Amino acid sequence: MPPHLALIGAGITGTTLSIALTRRHIPHTVYEQAPHPTELGAGLGFGPNAARAMAIADPVLGAGETEPVWIEFLDGTADGGGVFAGFGEGHGAVHRAKWLGVLLGMVPGGVVQFGKRLEGVERLGGKVVLRFGDGTTAEADAVVGCDGVKSKVREIMVGGGEVEGARCGYSGKYAYRCMIPRELALEELGIERVEVSSLGMGHGRHVLTFPVGKPGGEQFLNLVAFVTDANKSWPSQDTKSFTLPATMEDALRDFEQRGFSKTIQKLLHLTKDKMDKWGLFDMADHPLPKFYSDGILVIGDAAHASTPHHGSGAGFCMEDVAVLASLLEEIHGCDVEPYDGLHEVFAAFDESRGERDQWLVHSSRRAAELYQWRLPDTGKEHFEAMRRDVETRQAVCWGIDLEKVIQEARVDLRRRRRAAK
Ligand SMILES: Cc1cc2nc3c(=O)[nH]c(=O)nc-3n(C[C@H](O)[C@H](O)[C@H](O)COP(=O)(O)OP(=O)(O)OC[C@H]3O[C@@H](n4cnc5c(N)ncnc54)[C@H](O)[C@@H]3O)c2cc1C
């Protein structure tokens, strides 16, 4: 029998992995804590790496939709054009909740079980037994934690909440998020600011906007306004909530007396009376030494939760999915003991992804410091040097040769399997 995998979490990572495994006929079940799909009504941007990874996960996901994408970096303290730009070929941006709906629609019925909050994992012989909050249990050959930034699977893997181990922490920045109806944004800002993704840089703050939706459907300008927190700690640690209610006035107050341009002020005035303020958490200070242990693997945000300053968190999750699905395909149908085969797959996955995923976590933090002119040699006088820095990082994010990486990971897996025999 081929190994049966338990995927925890039906977010973007878990659902895409399920699609990739379905295409490869690899048996699995997805367990999601929420009683029904939960995603935000916010925008999600994809770079070329994400587009390539999705095409590997399932050609249907990558089919014929790539288009030129670019982002214009603006001096947020002056009204005028961009100071430099980044270009690529990608999928543009999607509405998160709608996109997750599309993805879930591609998973065969019965594969995703909602209302199953994982509480514990026990190993029993070569199997794992999962314990859920509703009192039920399930058995699998291994667990893949796709359960996001607050991952329970990661907590179980590092030995429980009591132990000082890998976990996410507050990055010292938060973000206001809002989807502005396109018509409203057009009226106030004009076509260029609405159709071109842009990142307005400035002192201790930066503002990202990008268009979401296609003509004929609902269209928005997605706005994310990032703030360096003077408090350094997030108020709702105890409730474990990373979002707090906020208003337009809160955002305006945070951008007061920072010298931001009329365009940015106008943008902030288009936000809603009620919106969310997101604490940005990541694993930069407490990373996982490796992404797997006995019968357990974590991928996506569960493994390497990052701040969103490269706009690539989900893109790297897609890369994880492409690599893992390709490695599982390699052992699928082989006459190895499933459990042992999976161990080698998890090790090869970790070897392939570990360094790159950790790079994103650290580089994303640094990128925010750059956009907010909080590093030496940043700010108005240094746009050329900043452009080079941004371009170098973007090239790492977007330029991965994923086919080659997967081929190398496959070779590594074969070597590990030979050594294990
Ligand atoms: C402000 C902001 C903006 C961003 N913008 C971008 C962007 O433009 N582009 C980009 O590529 N990335 C972006 N990201 C990053 C991106 O959102 C994440 O990388 C991505 O959503 C992670 O997906 P995931 O499926 O791994 O985790 P999640 O989306 O967190 O999904 C985890 C799932 O697991 C479930 N779960 C959790 N615990 C359990 C449990 N115990 N039992 C069962 N189920 C459980 C949850 O309910 C959830 O459905 C942004 C992030 C932030 C914070």
Side-chain angles (χ1 to χ4, degrees):
M1 284 288 288
H4 189 100
L5 297 173
L7 277 46
I8 308 301
I12 285 164
T13 305
T15 308
T16 315
L17 180 59
S18 177
I19 293 168
L21 297 186
T22 302
R23 172 158 284 270
R24 290 161 176 82
H25 308 289
I26 297 173
H28 65 282
T29 306
V30 185
Y31 300 98
E32 165 60 46
Q33 64 180 359
H36 45 73
T38 43
E39 248 304 352
L40 295 165
L44 186 68
F46 284 131
N49 57 320
R52 287 197 293 273
M54 283 190 268
I56 292 170
D58 186 328
V60 173
L61 286 175
E65 282 177 25
T66 57
E67 54 192 40
V69 289
W70 70 91
I71 180 163
E72 205 168 29
F73 289 80
L74 311 170
D75 176 353
T77 65
D79 285 302
V83 289
F84 54 87
F87 295 92
E89 185 77 22
H91 268 198
V94 294
H95 184 289
R96 296 180 79 115
K98 288 181 186 169
W99 192 61
L100 183 61
V102 171
L103 292 179
L104 280 166
M106 293 174 66
V107 177
V111 170
V112 183
Q113 296 192 13
F114 288 98
K116 294 284 177 191
R117 181 166 44 82
L118 182 82
E119 290 196 338
V121 177
E122 275 98 45
R123 282 126 189 131
L124 206 64
K127 299 273 182 188
V128 287
V129 178
L130 316 171
R131 196 164 34 77
F132 299 105
D134 63 0
T136 59
T137 57
E139 205 180 82
D141 289 293
V143 186
V144 182
C146 313
D147 49 344
V149 61
K150 299 178 201 170
S151 174
K152 182 71 184 177
V153 179
R154 181 179 67 224
E155 188 187 305
I156 292 167
M157 213 174 88
V158 296
E162 303 300 309
V163 182
E164 175 74 10
R167 58 184 159 80
C168 63
Y170 186 43
S171 70
K173 289 191 170 37
Y174 57 83
Y176 296 96
R177 294 167 57 140
C178 181
M179 296 271 270
I180 302 165
R182 177 185 153 90
E183 290 308 317
L184 181 61
L186 266 179
E187 222 170 86
E188 294 292 326
L189 303 165
I191 192 132
E192 197 187 343
R193 282 286 68 81
V194 175
E195 296 215 323
V196 176
S197 305
S198 68
L199 191 149
M201 305 178 286
H203 300 284
R205 315 268 180 268
H206 69 281
V207 178
L208 173 72
T209 58
F210 55 84
V212 175
K214 298 254 183 288
E218 273 191 303
Q219 288 184 277
F220 300 94
L221 182 66
N222 188 61
L223 173 137
V224 196
F226 296 93
V227 175
T228 292
D229 193 344
N231 291 324
K232 304 223 181 317
S233 67
W234 185 248
S236 63
Q237 287 277 16
D238 14 338
T239 62
K240 295 204 169 172
S241 171
F242 295 169
T243 60
L244 293 175
T247 62
M248 179 177 73
E249 276 69 34
D250 296 327
L252 288 170
R253 207 174 308 117
D254 266 337
F255 277 76
E256 235 169 38
Q257 296 177 353
R258 296 256 160 189
F260 277 88
S261 67
K262 286 203 186 72
T263 311
I264 302 252
Q265 300 291 344
K266 267 193 203 171
L267 259 171
L268 295 174
H269 276 96
L270 294 178
T271 58
K272 294 175 193 152
D273 287 343
K274 282 187 183 168
M275 57 177 177
D276 286 333
K277 180 169 137 178
W278 280 62
L280 301 178
F281 284 70
D282 69 9
M283 295 183 66
D285 298 328
H286 304 279
L288 270 172
K290 59 187 175 96
F291 293 163
Y292 71 105
S293 75
D294 202 14
I296 302 181
L297 174 75
V298 281
I299 72 168
D301 272 19
H304 47 80
S306 166
T307 51
H309 307 299
H310 279 313
S312 282
F316 276 51
C317 295
M318 298 299 99
E319 290 183 18
D320 282 359
V321 167
V323 173
L324 180 59
S326 303
L327 290 175
L328 286 166
E329 188 177 29
E330 182 80 22
I331 63 156
H332 187 50
C334 292
D335 58 349
V336 288
E337 278 290 307
Y339 189 72
D340 290 342
L342 287 173
H343 185 82
E344 312 313 327
V345 166
F346 292 176
F349 172 86
D350 178 65
E351 179 68 27
S352 175
R353 297 299 304 161
E355 198 179 322
R356 177 166 167 84
D357 285 334
Q358 306 286 12
W359 173 87
L360 178 70
V361 179
H362 291 282
S363 183
S364 174
R365 270 209 186 190
R366 191 182 184 284
E369 298 301 85
L370 185 94
Y371 306 152
Q372 299 196 355
W373 303 352
R374 286 167 49 84
L375 297 174
D377 300 331
T378 54
K380 278 180 186 296
E381 311 298 315
H382 304 282
F383 287 147
E384 182 48 28
M386 290 170 69
R387 180 187 65 75
R388 285 198 300 273
D389 193 314
V390 167
E391 258 180 25
T392 308
R393 285 165 201 282
Q394 205 162 52
V396 178
C397 280
W398 288 5
I400 181 173
D401 181 347
L402 204 49
E403 298 278 3
K404 182 164 171 249
V405 165
I406 288 172
Q407 191 45 37
E408 285 166 1
R410 282 194 159 122
V411 171
D412 179 40
L413 173 60
R414 283 174 214 144
R415 187 188 54 76
R416 286 172 190 274
R417 287 189 44 218
R418 277 197 303 276
K421 271 179 192 164

